[in-house]
Amino acid sequence: MFNLMYWIWPLLVLGGFVIPGVSGIVIYTPTEVVAVNGTDVKLKCTFTSSQRASLQSVTVSWNFRPLIAGNEESVFYYHDVAYPPNEGRFKGRVVWSGDIARRDASITLQEVPPTFNGTYICQVRNPPDVHGNNGELVLKVVNKVALSEIAILAAAVGGACGAILIILGFIVAVRYFRKRKMDTDIEMRPEEYEKADPTLCSPAEAVHLIAIKKEKEAPSSDDEESEPSSGDDGEEEGLDEEDDDDDDDDDGGDDDDDD
């Protein structure tokens, strides 16, 4: 018996490499898919095969197993063309989304309700490569999307950065408008800012100071020459004329005496 098994095991191993079709077909599906109630969701299923995949050789079947106890239900079948279900909960809710040439056997469920919660089984056969595993995924239909921790962290960081940018923009805008308002006030009401500076004077004061300066500079040499003679000069001229008259009288008197 021992000698017989010693010879059988090498033959089985060699047969696994020589006999075609025993390598099996491998199917890949995600473990879990989450969909929002009333939306469409794609159930991804891909496969690898040792044989050439063609529309005539490959068959795809999808089945559904509910979360609670219940029988499996056919969801979709494909062989050369699509065969959607004619009855049951999936009637009018399943469309083909795969591509056999690319080894894609995916389907899309439309407007999923909560009753679609359960396990979906993807089975692919490509004769003579008919052995292999089946792909299984769990669909969860929820009322709203649950954010992951990474999404929450990204949202928090993005919100913080946005808040900082808003604050900086607000500060810059306030400073800009304050400077602009100050420049406008200086142009519209310069006297208030001139009073604040003791070294400055208002335009009216400047004109007054200029007038005073001109009055102080007015008595010049030319003005003195053109100025009319004063009363003292008139008196002196009158005295000179009287003296001349007296001299004339004296001369006349002398003449009379001579006669």
Side-chain angles (χ1 to χ4, degrees):
M1 182 68 179
F2 177 77
N3 292 332
L4 180 63
M5 293 298 298
Y6 179 80
W7 289 102
I8 290 175
W9 281 112
L11 292 174
L12 292 175
V13 172
L14 291 173
F17 290 100
V18 174
I19 300 173
V22 298
S23 60
I25 192 166
V26 181
I27 300 175
Y28 306 93
T29 58
T31 304
E32 182 179 277
V33 177
V34 179
V36 179
N37 185 13
T39 62
D40 298 346
V41 58
K42 184 177 181 179
L43 304 183
K44 189 74 174 177
C45 177
T46 58
F47 64 93
T48 59
S49 175
S50 60
Q51 303 296 318
R52 178 179 175 273
S54 64
L55 298 176
Q56 292 74 27
S57 63
V58 174
T59 60
V60 178
S61 61
W62 281 86
N63 295 319
F64 169 74
R65 186 169 62 243
L67 293 177
I68 58 176
N71 297 325
E72 286 191 6
E73 183 178 344
S74 176
V75 178
F76 195 85
Y77 183 80
Y78 183 91
H79 180 66
D80 197 6
V81 294
Y83 294 91
N86 294 324
E87 57 183 6
R89 75 181 77 191
F90 297 102
K91 181 181 179 180
R93 295 290 188 91
V94 190
V95 294
W96 174 250
S97 300
D99 186 351
I100 297 300
R102 296 184 177 182
R103 293 173 169 77
D104 188 354
S106 304
I107 59 173
T108 298
L109 303 179
Q110 297 178 327
E111 300 178 358
V112 292
T115 56
F116 281 17
N117 280 318
T119 303
Y120 292 79
I121 304 164
C122 177
Q123 186 181 53
V124 181
R125 297 293 179 262
N126 184 30
D129 195 0
V130 294
H131 302 284
N133 67 312
N134 295 329
E136 294 188 4
L137 63 88
V138 176
L139 175 64
K140 292 184 178 180
V141 180
V142 297
N143 290 327
K144 55 184 178 180
V145 178
L147 295 176
S148 64
E149 294 181 0
I150 296 177
I152 294 174
L153 179 62
V157 172
C161 293
I164 292 173
L165 291 176
I166 292 173
I167 293 173
L168 290 176
F170 179 76
I171 293 173
V172 171
V174 169
R175 289 183 176 179
Y176 171 76
F177 284 110
R178 281 183 178 177
K179 185 177 182 301
R180 186 174 180 181
K181 184 177 182 299
M182 184 178 295
D183 294 340
T184 304
D185 290 344
I186 291 174
E187 292 177 359
M188 298 298 294
R189 295 177 296 174
E191 62 279 358
E192 295 183 3
Y193 294 91
E194 290 169 355
K195 289 180 180 179
D197 190 349
T199 61
L200 298 177
C201 61
S202 64
E205 293 175 346
V207 172
H208 181 67
L209 293 175
I210 291 172
I212 293 175
K213 185 177 180 181
K214 287 183 177 180
E215 290 179 359
K216 289 181 178 180
E217 294 177 352
S220 61
S221 58
D222 296 336
D223 293 337
E224 289 178 356
E225 293 177 359
S226 61
E227 213 176 62
S229 59
S230 62
D232 294 336
D233 294 338
E235 290 178 358
E236 289 177 358
E237 292 177 358
L239 291 175
D240 293 337
E241 291 177 356
E242 289 179 358
D243 292 338
D244 294 337
D245 293 336
D246 292 338
D247 292 337
D248 293 337
D249 292 337
D250 294 334
D251 293 340
D254 292 340
D255 293 336
D256 291 338
D257 292 337
D258 292 337
D259 291 337

